[in-house]
Amino acid sequence: MPHSRPSDKNPTGQPPLKKEPLISTEALMNAPVGIFTSSPGGRIMSVNQTLASMLGYETPRELIESITDIGQEIYANPGDREYLKKVLGEYGEIQNLQCQWGSRTGGVFWVSMHAKASRNEKGKIDFIQGFATDITERKQAEEALRESEATYRALFENSLDAIFLTVPDGRVLAANKAACEMMGMTESEIIAGGRDGVVDETDPRLSEALKQRALNGNFKGELNFKRKDGTRFPVEISTGIYQDRLGNERTCIIARDITERRQAEAEHESLQQQLLQSQKMESVGRLAGGIAHEFNNMLSIINGYAEMMADVLSPTEPMYDNARKIGDAGKRSAVIIRKLLAFARKQAITPEVMNLNDSISSMLKMLEKTIGENIDLFWKPEKNAWLIKMDFSQLDQILINLVVNARDAFYEGGEVIIETKNVEFDKEYCGGHPGFVPGQYVMLAVSDNGCGMSKEVQSHLFEPFFTTKEMGRGTGLGLPTVYGIAKQNNGFVNVYSEPGEGTSFKVYFLRHKEGDAVDSSADEEKSPVKGNGETILILEDEEEVLGIARLMLEKLGYKVLTAETPNKAMALAEAHLNQIDLLITDIVMPEMNGRDFANQLKELYPDVKILFMSGYTDNVIAHHNMESEDLLFIEKPFTLKDISLKVREALLS
């Protein structure tokens, strides 16, 4: 049991001889604590009323007459009595011995004892005197406190939320397991770094959060934290000020990583925008279709009467030319109406199975005449293109519209590349790329190296009558027609463009498998190839592309560093000297093109591998002064399987 040894032990090892009583009779009877005298053998010699009442007796005499063996009849644990006798025999005194006594009624309570032995001239103990204080309430309070502390410690350690016990000045006193896992640090590292090592000090919300906590005693909101590797991430925090048992002011921060929530919200917002765009295009399509049908009815009347007038009038009559002009205008209007119907997916079609390469090849001469002599047209077909099923006249409309659009992107001369490619998208890939639909497709790409487009212009491309061309050079129905035809044939359109660098339109036609006699080796499945912990630096100015590329590569087992600008990429390269195995860089960027940055990086990393990427096709890149036998290239958008194979090829090159 808890006790403290006496501090006045005789240097000889023997207690001094004392015969005089420790306590007077008057003090004995009136003391507020239980006072007793007992024999070495265990009989009560005298007690005061307080002690008698403590043990459940009405008078001291009743207690003295009832108790014959203190150790067996008073001590809840007789061993405590033996311990008391042993200490008194060795030291002559014992202080603050805490043990349990049993009362006459059967109850058990805690006492704190002080006892001293009185010895005779021969050094033997004549009697023992002492006093006892009931400390049951104190022991219960201490036990409750221990249980409370154990409970809070369990909650602290097992909480799924990160908990930091801190001081208002920024020091950290403790951090639980969840906090260490969230921050990527040990508790000692968190304590050593303090609040500034946990919270992103550049977050403008930090000062307001500290101000609100100081004024109101608490704060709830969001901040950015930073992990050991320097990455910032959003957290939801609840922090408050409290006082510990000693009255010291303390603070507590409870934090929850909300990165996944933010990603889910961003994905939801993206899907919502995609839905709204789809609904808008559907509404505009219905409107365009309705208008087209109404105008067709009126054009039937206008063109019919114009033709009848021209038939009955002599070419020499003044009204004859007017009738012919009315008829010509009606025919041109009918062409516009057909484009509106194509956008609305309302025109009559006769789909047929076709090889896209053969169909395009038969149109090349006509397309060359369409774009003019100052523009070079290149044809890059897929070797074993899959079959598709669509109306040939619709393919004609798509090609004409895309080629004319490319032609109008040039101020003088330039290059237009038409190409086909077999592609496949799975559900996982399409989930992160709005507008894409899982399946196997034949891609038709029409690319140019003309003036390119801004993001704002791209957001309106497929809206009817939207055009950036001069008055009289376009109706704004060409690209909506392409969009409508692709949708009508269960396909879709993707656009990639950079101002001043050109544009690439990619139309995806659903593969037609019935009777498909294409070489089966072209359709072999290849599983994603895992990495071996190599470090990859990605340079990409588009945040969404940068994010998905990082997720893919980390999933494949690579260590990934990301940068939106060449300056930041170079800083990362210098900070991780001799650690970077591969650079993946976009080719077209605002500050510096990817080839120039790769050349700069090679001065620091002579043996680093390079993989270029772009939204343009590889055939387009080959015409941008990027041709090289050892150049490795991956086309956006890419799948997990695509990038895994390209990265492994680059690392082994």
Side-chain angles (χ1 to χ4, degrees):
M1 302 302 293
H3 74 283
S4 61
R5 298 183 182 275
S7 58
D8 57 346
K9 179 180 176 181
N10 190 290
T12 64
Q14 295 295 327
L17 298 176
K18 289 187 179 180
K19 287 187 174 183
E20 67 276 9
L22 291 175
I23 307 166
S24 69
T25 303
E26 183 180 358
L28 174 70
M29 297 308 296
N30 298 324
V33 296
I35 300 174
F36 64 89
T37 303
S38 65
S39 69
R43 286 195 60 91
I44 297 293
M45 298 170 63
S46 67
V47 297
N48 68 349
Q49 181 61 49
T50 302
L51 187 61
S53 300
M54 193 185 297
L55 290 168
Y57 294 90
E58 293 187 5
T59 65
R61 179 175 293 279
E62 184 182 12
L63 186 151
I64 293 170
E65 292 175 351
S66 300
I67 301 299
T68 59
D69 187 338
I70 296 174
Q72 296 296 324
E73 299 176 58
I74 293 182
Y75 285 84
N77 177 13
D80 291 339
R81 165 68 178 176
E82 296 304 318
Y83 177 74
L84 172 69
K85 290 169 62 178
K86 180 181 178 182
V87 174
L88 290 176
E90 291 181 6
Y91 301 102
E93 184 178 2
I94 190 168
Q95 298 179 10
N96 193 31
L97 172 62
Q98 296 182 13
C99 58
Q100 288 181 303
W101 282 1
S103 71
R104 184 182 188 182
T105 58
V108 177
F109 59 97
W110 281 91
V111 295
S112 174
M113 292 177 57
H114 177 95
K116 200 166 187 178
S118 179
R119 299 177 184 272
N120 58 27
E121 294 177 353
K122 296 180 181 181
K124 292 186 178 182
I125 298 176
D126 277 342
F127 56 88
I128 300 169
Q129 286 186 316
F131 60 84
T133 305
D134 188 339
I135 59 169
T136 303
E137 291 186 1
R138 190 180 85 192
K139 294 292 288 186
Q140 289 173 342
E142 289 175 353
E143 183 62 26
L145 180 60
R146 279 194 295 271
E147 290 180 358
S148 176
E149 288 178 344
T151 299
Y152 280 107
R153 171 55 60 178
L155 290 173
F156 178 77
E157 292 296 343
N158 298 313
S159 172
L160 296 178
D161 290 327
I163 302 177
F164 305 85
L165 301 182
T166 60
V167 181
D169 64 11
R171 286 175 292 139
V172 177
L173 304 178
N176 69 348
K177 181 181 178 182
C180 296
E181 292 175 350
M182 184 175 76
M183 303 307 302
M185 306 181 195
T186 63
E187 184 179 27
S188 60
E189 287 175 329
I190 292 176
I191 292 172
R195 185 178 62 213
D196 292 342
V198 172
V199 182
D200 180 3
E201 68 278 4
T202 64
D203 191 334
R205 299 169 295 182
L206 176 58
S207 59
E208 182 61 24
L210 294 175
K211 179 181 177 181
Q212 288 296 322
R213 188 178 68 180
L215 289 174
N216 304 322
N218 59 76
F219 171 80
K220 291 183 179 180
E222 295 180 7
L223 288 175
N224 287 333
F225 276 21
K226 58 183 179 183
R227 294 190 176 90
K228 185 178 181 179
D229 61 5
T231 57
R232 268 64 172 171
F233 62 101
V235 296
E236 185 178 69
I237 71 164
S238 176
T239 178
I241 300 175
Y242 68 97
Q243 288 187 336
D244 64 13
R245 288 194 316 237
L246 301 177
N248 299 311
E249 192 172 77
R250 298 286 184 257
T251 51
C252 177
I253 300 173
I254 301 176
R256 178 176 297 176
D257 186 344
I258 56 173
T259 302
E260 292 185 1
R261 184 200 303 175
R262 286 287 171 266
Q263 291 173 343
E265 290 172 353
E267 182 179 351
H268 176 75
E269 178 65 21
S270 175
L271 292 174
Q272 185 69 18
Q273 291 300 320
Q274 182 183 348
L275 175 61
L276 292 175
Q277 178 69 10
S278 175
Q279 291 174 336
K280 181 182 76 172
M281 297 300 287
E282 191 67 30
S283 298
V284 174
R286 286 197 297 269
L287 176 63
I291 293 174
H293 280 295
E294 292 298 323
F295 266 90
N296 262 339
N297 292 334
M298 290 185 282
L299 281 176
S300 298
I301 298 171
I302 294 171
N303 291 347
Y305 278 110
E307 186 177 3
M308 291 173 60
M309 288 173 63
D311 285 342
V312 299
L313 292 172
S314 170
T316 59
E317 294 185 59
M319 293 299 296
Y320 179 80
D321 284 340
N322 293 340
R324 292 294 299 272
K325 289 178 180 178
I326 293 172
D328 290 342
K331 291 175 183 177
R332 290 196 299 272
S333 299
V335 172
I336 294 176
I337 295 304
R338 282 198 295 274
K339 291 181 178 179
L340 275 175
L341 287 172
F343 169 72
R345 291 166 266 166
K346 301 290 186 181
Q347 82 277 40
I349 58 173
T350 307
E352 56 183 286
V353 177
M354 68 173 71
N355 182 299
L356 195 56
N357 289 346
D358 295 340
S359 300
I360 294 174
S361 296
S362 67
M363 302 171 61
L364 288 178
K365 289 186 177 180
M366 180 267 292
L367 294 173
E368 288 175 346
K369 293 179 180 179
T370 300
I371 63 175
E373 296 180 354
N374 63 331
I375 298 175
D376 296 323
L377 180 65
F378 298 91
W379 167 226
K380 306 287 184 180
E382 171 78 59
K383 183 180 179 181
N384 292 306
W386 295 325
L387 300 178
I388 65 171
K389 187 174 184 179
M390 68 177 299
D391 190 303
F392 182 82
S393 65
Q394 289 186 313
L395 176 61
D396 176 76
Q397 290 182 72
I398 287 178
L399 269 174
I400 290 294
N401 280 313
L402 291 181
V403 169
V404 168
N405 195 72
R407 178 199 67 189
D408 293 342
F410 299 108
Y411 298 111
E412 294 179 358
E415 298 172 349
V416 174
I417 299 175
I418 302 174
E419 56 189 306
T420 57
K421 185 179 295 184
N422 296 333
V423 295
E424 182 174 359
F425 304 114
D426 56 24
K427 290 182 179 180
E428 181 180 357
Y429 175 80
C430 295
H433 294 78
F436 283 68
V437 181
Q440 294 180 320
Y441 297 87
V442 181
M443 179 196 76
L444 164 63
V446 177
S447 308
D448 65 72
N449 60 351
C451 60
M453 295 177 287
S454 66
K455 299 298 182 186
E456 173 64 21
V457 170
Q458 291 180 55
S459 67
H460 298 286
L461 280 180
F462 301 117
E463 296 176 7
F465 305 110
F466 173 80
T467 181
T468 59
K469 299 175 183 177
E470 299 173 3
M471 183 69 70
R473 291 196 63 192
T475 61
L477 287 172
L479 294 178
T481 298
V482 173
Y483 174 88
I485 292 174
K487 286 291 186 182
Q488 190 172 21
N489 288 277
N490 299 313
F492 54 93
V493 185
N494 183 252
V495 185
Y496 182 84
S497 184
E498 296 281 353
E501 299 291 341
T503 301
S504 184
F505 280 92
K506 300 173 185 177
V507 185
Y508 296 90
F509 300 103
L510 191 63
R511 177 186 182 183
H512 179 75
K513 293 187 177 181
E514 183 181 352
D516 195 341
V518 178
D519 184 356
S520 60
S521 64
D523 192 27
E524 288 182 356
E525 286 288 335
K526 293 183 179 179
S527 300
V529 180
K530 295 282 188 177
N532 296 311
E534 295 94 335
T535 299
I536 300 176
L537 172 62
I538 308 176
L539 173 56
E540 166 61 60
D541 60 321
E542 289 286 345
E543 184 178 348
E544 292 183 359
V545 176
L546 191 65
I548 190 65
R550 176 173 189 161
L551 288 175
M552 286 181 173
L553 291 170
E554 287 179 342
K555 184 175 182 179
L556 291 168
Y558 295 101
K559 296 177 182 178
V560 184
L561 305 172
T562 60
E564 300 88 356
T565 65
N567 287 338
K568 184 176 179 181
M570 186 58 71
L572 284 173
E574 292 171 350
H576 295 79
L577 198 60
N578 299 323
Q579 298 179 36
I580 297 175
D581 301 293
L582 172 67
L583 167 69
I584 301 179
T585 176
D586 191 6
I587 293 176
V588 180
M589 291 180 293
E591 296 179 12
M592 177 189 297
N593 68 54
R595 190 59 177 268
D596 289 343
F597 178 78
N599 290 335
Q600 283 190 11
L601 184 65
K602 276 189 171 293
E603 296 178 6
L604 188 65
Y605 286 84
D607 299 325
V608 71
K609 308 298 184 181
I610 309 294
L611 175 61
F612 294 101
M613 62 178 172
S614 177
Y616 299 115
T617 65
D618 51 356
N619 289 312
V620 174
I621 295 302
H623 286 76
H624 278 72
N625 298 319
M626 292 289 290
E627 56 268 33
S628 173
E629 293 182 1
D630 60 350
L631 181 146
L632 289 172
F633 173 82
I634 186 169
E635 179 183 337
K636 304 176 194 173
F638 43 75
T639 64
L640 180 68
K641 182 169 57 180
D642 295 334
I643 197 168
S644 74
L645 296 173
K646 277 293 183 181
V647 166
R648 183 49 48 188
E649 179 185 354
L651 289 170
L652 296 177
S653 64

